[in-house]
Amino acid sequence: METIIIEMPEEEKDKLFDILNRLGLTVDQVTDMFLRWVIDNPDEAGRWLKNCAIDNKNPAIAAMLDLQDELKGKSVMTGLDTEEAIMDLTKEIRRNGR
């Protein structure tokens, strides 16, 4: 099992918990849902992540996604089972300090 640490400003955390409480969801559930969406929709997730990187002026993530696009034109997660893909994504997030 992997542990994912999410860091965010206190104000954003409060907003997140307010939304989750209204939806009857936990952080663990939403994190799992998000990671499964990334795995099941790698191209859409890649576009979304790239837009976030550009909007937040994070060139490292944008460059990583550009490189991924050049390599075979598909997500590096294609063909992996869900648990393996989540672990790989977690390791990549840690390497990039996010």
Side-chain angles (χ1 to χ4, degrees):
M1 175 181 272
E2 293 281 331
T3 299
I4 298 175
I5 298 172
I6 301 171
E7 294 182 13
M8 65 178 55
E10 191 73 24
E11 183 177 303
E12 288 181 20
K13 181 188 79 99
D14 292 341
K15 289 178 187 177
L16 173 64
F17 278 97
D18 182 51
I19 292 168
L20 294 179
N21 286 333
R22 284 187 272 139
L23 295 172
L25 297 169
T26 67
V27 171
D28 288 344
Q29 290 171 316
V30 172
T31 301
D32 183 69
M33 291 165 59
F34 172 75
L35 293 175
R36 289 181 191 280
W37 171 74
V38 168
I39 292 162
D40 293 340
N41 303 282
D43 295 330
E44 183 181 350
R47 285 190 299 274
W48 175 79
L49 182 58
K50 188 172 184 178
N51 287 335
C52 290
I54 291 168
D55 291 347
N56 293 309
K57 297 176 178 47
N58 190 327
I61 293 176
M64 179 182 72
L65 292 169
D66 285 339
L67 178 61
Q68 177 180 309
D69 287 343
E70 291 175 26
L71 299 172
K72 302 178 187 170
K74 62 180 183 176
S75 171
V76 296
M77 288 190 212
T78 301
L80 297 177
D81 70 274
T82 302
E83 187 174 335
E84 184 180 352
I86 289 171
M87 290 187 332
D88 286 350
L89 179 61
T90 302
K91 289 174 188 171
E92 187 63 36
I93 291 168
R94 285 182 181 153
R95 276 195 290 272
N96 287 298
R98 294 263 180 217

